[in-house]
Amino acid sequence: MSSPNTESDAISLADLSATHRDLLWVLSQTGPSESGPLHHVLTDYYTDGIDHTRVCDILEELIELDLVTVQTHDPIKYRLTESARRALSARQAWQAGTRNVEAGHE
């Protein structure tokens, strides 16, 4: 099993597909959730919809990347990891134009 990401090897959301990022965003807004409600939110968002199996596949990929964990209680719920929260925060800073401001680009 791989070790948790450190800040130096943390994944950038730029490396993920838009659907992966959207699913992370939905989880950040809903908190721990089952795959069904996540599927419904994405289906409402995407004009062509999205297959439930695809949502489950993306969740598995995000688990492998240490961005999502699964609570195996009944029902199974997915939640963000701290790595995902940091990645979402970094992306929001980038979108707002504030990323690297503190790095002292002079």
Side-chain angles (χ1 to χ4, degrees):
M1 179 170 275
S2 64
S3 63
N5 290 338
T6 63
E7 193 163 330
S8 63
D9 67 354
I11 191 164
S12 166
L13 295 190
D15 298 330
L16 300 178
S17 75
T19 309
H20 286 75
R21 291 190 302 264
D22 291 343
L23 187 51
L24 288 172
W25 177 253
V26 170
L27 271 172
S28 77
Q29 300 303 301
T30 63
S33 185
E34 297 173 55
S35 63
L38 296 171
H39 170 251
H40 289 292
V41 171
L42 291 176
T43 297
D44 288 345
Y45 179 69
Y46 291 114
T47 56
D48 292 337
I50 185 168
D51 184 65
H52 186 262
T53 302
R54 180 67 184 132
V55 171
C56 292
D57 290 345
I58 292 170
L59 285 166
E60 289 302 317
E61 292 164 9
L62 293 171
I63 289 168
E64 290 176 17
L65 293 169
D66 189 37
L67 296 172
V68 170
T69 60
V70 62
Q71 299 170 336
T72 57
H73 306 291
D74 189 21
I76 294 173
K77 290 191 176 182
Y78 299 89
R79 68 177 181 87
L80 293 181
T81 64
E82 189 56 38
S83 296
R85 291 182 204 292
R86 284 192 304 268
L88 283 167
S89 179
R91 181 162 179 90
Q92 287 174 318
W94 174 78
Q95 289 174 314
T98 59
R99 185 175 177 142
N100 293 328
V101 170
E102 294 180 21
H105 285 118
E106 302 171 331

